[in-house]
């Protein structure tokens, strides 16, 4: 394992005390803290108890009485682990989160949308639905890249990755704990590029997708650090065979050409764009590597603000109330939309006619799957007692 980005040591550092030092008066906005520490090297800091943002609304009162800055320490940051299929991202990201005392976010999956809180899987309805309104997932697309719903799945994954990223930001702002994500919304486009290059998606769809993708850079906060685990395409194919998932091993999609296009999109576009706004570390992961060595590299990174640079620009703050406002948005505005433009008849990949939509709505009503947990009379819930 070898890091492809050189990093310089920072020497001995004092632990950050957020409420005292992070927002000192300055001519320019400031980055909250200029380093990351492992659990072993982390100073003593007792942050306030996590705000129960999933059960309790974060309102204007808490913006005043629950200062966001008091929760932050040096590890209040967003880290993203990215790379090709079968690179070992999930295992590495979990171990890294443990080493840095951060929360691990697994890769977004259609299960997040298709499996309801009561455990019901919407895909069980597929046999009773027209093909265009069936609940299609990644496995279906991998088995059959010519599936008529491939564009819908691509847009679904973009929205799921975006929603998950908002959840990660909400966790960070309400607890102060940093997050380690297995892929993120910022690299979703590499799959789209590979599908367009393979002829599975149209150029018209690409234009529509890119308009949706633009909103991410306006509404989100790019990660502090991106770690890319690099393995050659031939190694990717070997690992796909080794892990022996039936939808991958015999897939007509996961070819050398498709994986090569993904690799180029990662290296020529994703990593270059991320290096403008974030720190980037790239490792040769052909034979895997040691998480501890990566942590050593991370601890040497310098996140010091530069008023003349775009790096960490999303995280530069001037006043605590700015953090409170951002926390309010990411905690409460869960329906932040990427794009509300109607594709209409000009984009047949996403078009559903009236009869297909009606069939879906009628079946969902019959099954009662759109009710909130505890409010479904079709499952015996007594709604009158909850009014």
């Amino acid at each position: 394992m070898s890091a492809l980005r050189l990093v310089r040591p920072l020497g001995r550092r004092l632990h950050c005390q957020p409420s005292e030092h992070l927002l000192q008066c300055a001519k320019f906005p400031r980055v909250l803290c200029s380093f990351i520490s492992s659990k072993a090297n982390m100073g003593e800091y007792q942050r306030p108890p996590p705000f129960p943002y999933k059960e309790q609304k974060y309102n204007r009162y808490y913006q005043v009485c629950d200062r966001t800055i008091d929760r932050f320490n040096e590890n209040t940051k967003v880290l993203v682990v990215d790379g090709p299929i079968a690179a070992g991202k999930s295992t590495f990201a979990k171990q890294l989160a443990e080493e840095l005392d951060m929360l691990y976010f697994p890769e977004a999956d259609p299960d997040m949308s298709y499996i309801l809180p009561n455990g019901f899987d919407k895909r069980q309805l597929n046999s009773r639905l027209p093909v265009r309104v069936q609940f299609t997932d990644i496995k279906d697309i991998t088995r059959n890249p010519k599936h008529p719903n491939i564009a819908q799945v691509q847009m679904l994954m973009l929205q799921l990755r975006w929603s998950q990223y908002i959840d990660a930001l909400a966790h960070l702002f309400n607890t102060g704990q940093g997050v380690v994500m297995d892929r993120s919304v910022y690299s979703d486009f590499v799959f789209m590029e590979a599908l367009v290059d393979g002829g599975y998606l149209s150029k018209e769809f690409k234009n529509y997708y890119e308009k949706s993708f633009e909103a991410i850079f306006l509404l989100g906060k790019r990660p502090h650090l991106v770690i890319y685990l690099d393995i050659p395409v031939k190694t990717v194919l070997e690992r796909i065979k080794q892990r022996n998932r039936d939808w991958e091993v015999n897939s007509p999609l996961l070819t050398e050409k498709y994986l090569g296009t993904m690799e180029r999109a990662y290296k020529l576009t994703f990593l270059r764009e991320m290096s403008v706004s974030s720190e980037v570390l790239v490792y040769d992961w052909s034979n895997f590597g040691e998480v501890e060595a990566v942590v050593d590299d991370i601890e040497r990174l310098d996140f010091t603000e530069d008023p003349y640079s775009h790096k960490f620009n999303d995280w530069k703050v001037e006043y605590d109330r700015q953090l409170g406002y951002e926390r309010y948005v990411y905690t409460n505005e869960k329906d932040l939309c990427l794009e509300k433009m109607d594709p209409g008849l000009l984009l047949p990949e996403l078009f559903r006619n009236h009869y297909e939509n009606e069939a879906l709505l009628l079946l969902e009503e019959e099954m009662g799957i759109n009710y909130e947990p505890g409010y479904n009379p079709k499952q015996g819930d007594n709604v009158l007692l909850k009014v």
Side-chain angles (χ1 to χ4, degrees):
M1 176 196 70
S2 59
L4 303 186
R5 180 196 184 282
L6 297 179
V7 293
R8 63 182 179 85
L10 299 179
R12 187 171 181 271
R13 301 166 300 191
L14 296 177
H15 174 68
C16 276
Q17 295 294 331
S19 59
E20 298 176 11
H21 300 298
L22 293 187
L23 290 180
Q24 296 174 0
C25 293
K27 183 177 180 181
F28 300 102
R30 302 177 64 84
V31 173
L32 294 181
C33 201
S34 61
F35 58 89
I36 295 176
S37 299
S38 65
K39 281 197 301 186
N41 296 327
M42 192 177 296
E44 295 182 1
Y45 171 63
Q46 295 295 326
R47 64 168 59 96
F51 182 81
Y53 65 98
K54 294 182 179 180
E55 296 82 25
Q56 187 173 338
K57 186 176 179 62
Y58 178 75
N59 55 30
R60 303 298 182 184
Y61 168 79
Y62 290 110
Q63 282 187 266
V64 176
C65 299
D66 186 356
R67 293 212 319 161
T68 303
I69 192 73
D70 292 337
R71 300 180 177 278
F72 285 19
N73 69 355
E74 63 261 44
N75 284 20
T76 306
K77 292 182 173 66
V78 177
L79 278 59
V80 170
V81 177
D82 228 308
I85 298 170
K89 299 181 298 300
S90 300
T91 300
F92 171 80
K94 290 177 185 177
Q95 294 173 347
L96 183 65
E98 176 64 25
E99 288 288 332
L100 299 177
D101 191 28
M102 295 182 175
L103 181 66
Y104 166 70
F105 275 77
E107 183 176 1
D109 185 90
D111 286 357
M112 297 165 57
S113 176
Y114 293 160
I115 298 180
L116 302 180
N118 62 10
F120 181 81
D121 191 334
K122 291 183 178 181
R123 286 166 290 200
Q124 297 178 26
L125 305 178
N126 283 348
S127 61
R128 302 175 58 186
L129 289 170
V131 174
R132 293 305 301 272
V133 290
Q134 289 181 357
F135 300 99
T136 313
D137 61 19
I138 299 296
K139 296 178 182 178
D140 299 321
I141 299 305
T142 307
R143 290 190 181 102
N144 176 23
K146 295 183 179 180
H147 195 290
N149 293 346
I150 186 169
Q152 296 177 24
V153 173
Q154 183 63 54
M155 291 305 298
L156 172 66
M157 290 305 301
L158 179 64
Q159 185 63 59
L160 290 176
R161 287 192 169 104
W162 171 242
S163 298
Q164 185 189 55
Y165 201 82
I166 295 299
D167 288 342
L169 292 175
H171 176 84
L172 180 144
F173 274 88
N174 284 284
T175 68
Q177 184 184 28
V179 298
V180 177
M181 304 191 70
D182 183 350
R183 281 208 179 98
S184 76
V185 66
Y186 292 100
S187 63
D188 182 81
F189 77 94
V190 301
F191 296 94
M192 181 275 298
E193 293 282 0
L195 291 171
V196 172
D197 184 71
Y200 303 114
L201 291 173
S202 67
K203 292 183 179 180
E204 290 76 17
F205 172 84
K206 180 180 179 180
N207 293 334
Y208 175 82
Y209 176 96
E210 289 175 344
K211 290 179 181 179
S212 300
F213 196 76
E214 288 174 0
I216 296 169
F217 296 93
L218 298 175
L219 301 174
K221 298 173 80 69
R222 281 159 284 195
H224 294 86
L225 172 62
V226 174
I227 301 174
Y228 183 78
L229 305 183
D230 186 29
I231 60 175
V233 170
K234 290 185 179 180
T235 305
V236 174
L237 291 170
E238 291 173 2
R239 291 189 184 176
I240 287 175
K241 291 181 180 179
Q242 290 172 3
R243 66 185 188 181
N244 198 31
R245 296 176 179 174
D246 64 322
W247 66 91
E248 292 181 342
V249 172
N250 301 312
S251 171
L253 176 64
L254 301 181
T255 62
E256 190 169 343
K257 178 185 177 182
Y258 175 84
L259 297 171
T261 304
M262 281 187 59
E263 183 180 49
R264 288 190 295 274
Y266 264 126
K267 294 181 177 179
L268 298 181
T269 305
F270 173 72
L271 292 179
R272 288 185 178 182
E273 290 182 351
M274 286 293 102
S275 66
V276 174
S277 60
S278 313
E279 284 289 346
V280 175
L281 290 175
V282 180
Y283 293 91
D284 181 355
W285 217 248
S286 301
N287 298 309
F288 300 100
E290 298 295 331
V291 176
E292 292 78 8
V294 178
V295 172
D296 288 342
D297 286 342
I298 293 175
E299 289 190 302
R300 295 187 180 97
L301 289 174
D302 187 354
F303 295 90
T304 303
E305 72 278 3
D306 181 351
Y308 305 104
S309 170
H310 292 291
K311 190 154 289 189
F312 319 122
N313 203 45
D314 294 345
W315 297 93
K316 293 176 181 177
V317 295
E318 199 163 4
Y319 305 104
D320 178 56
R321 64 174 177 267
Q322 177 183 341
L323 292 176
Y325 171 74
E326 292 173 345
R327 178 179 170 188
Y328 178 87
V329 171
Y330 294 130
T331 303
N332 299 325
E333 302 297 331
K334 294 298 185 182
D335 59 344
L336 286 173
C337 293
L338 295 180
E339 182 59 65
K340 293 185 177 180
M341 179 179 63
D342 185 358
L345 295 173
L346 298 179
L347 198 61
E349 293 103 318
L350 295 177
F351 179 74
R352 293 174 172 178
N353 63 41
H354 167 73
Y355 301 103
E356 291 169 335
N357 284 325
E358 186 177 33
L360 176 61
L361 292 173
L362 290 174
L363 184 56
E364 287 181 335
E365 177 63 26
E366 176 188 335
M367 301 297 295
I369 65 174
N370 288 329
Y371 291 92
E372 291 291 330
Y375 289 84
N376 188 349
K378 297 181 182 299
Q379 294 184 352
D381 296 328
N382 193 332
V383 181
L384 294 177
L385 296 179
K386 301 177 184 294
V387 177

